């Protein structure tokens, strides 16, 4: 039972820490450009065919 409960708690802690890192980075460098996020997401998903400007 404890492993069943621990896994979602660990995942939430990781998400909370990631949110803190994002907030720190945005405070230092400004907000992330959504088009850059979308382009990177497409590259990671292998959806780069026909999108030369994705990089």
């Amino acid at each position: 039972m404890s492993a069943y409960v621990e896994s979602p708690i660990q995942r939430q802690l990781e998400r909370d820490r990631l949110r803190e890192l994002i907030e720190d980075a945005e405070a230092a460098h400004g907000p992330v450009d959504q088009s850059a996020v979308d382009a990177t997401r497409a590259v990671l998903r292998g959806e780069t065919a026909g999108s030369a400007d994705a990089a």
Side-chain angles (χ1 to χ4, degrees), residues 6-46:
E6 184 177 344
S7 179
I9 291 171
Q10 287 298 326
R11 203 166 32 250
Q12 185 61 48
L13 290 172
E14 290 169 359
R15 288 179 179 151
D16 292 346
R17 181 63 183 134
L18 182 57
R19 171 56 45 204
E20 290 175 12
L21 292 171
I22 291 169
E23 289 171 356
D24 290 347
E26 286 182 337
H29 305 287
V32 176
D33 177 13
Q34 188 60 44
S35 64
V37 172
D38 293 340
T40 301
R41 185 174 286 139
V43 169
L44 293 173
R45 290 181 177 166

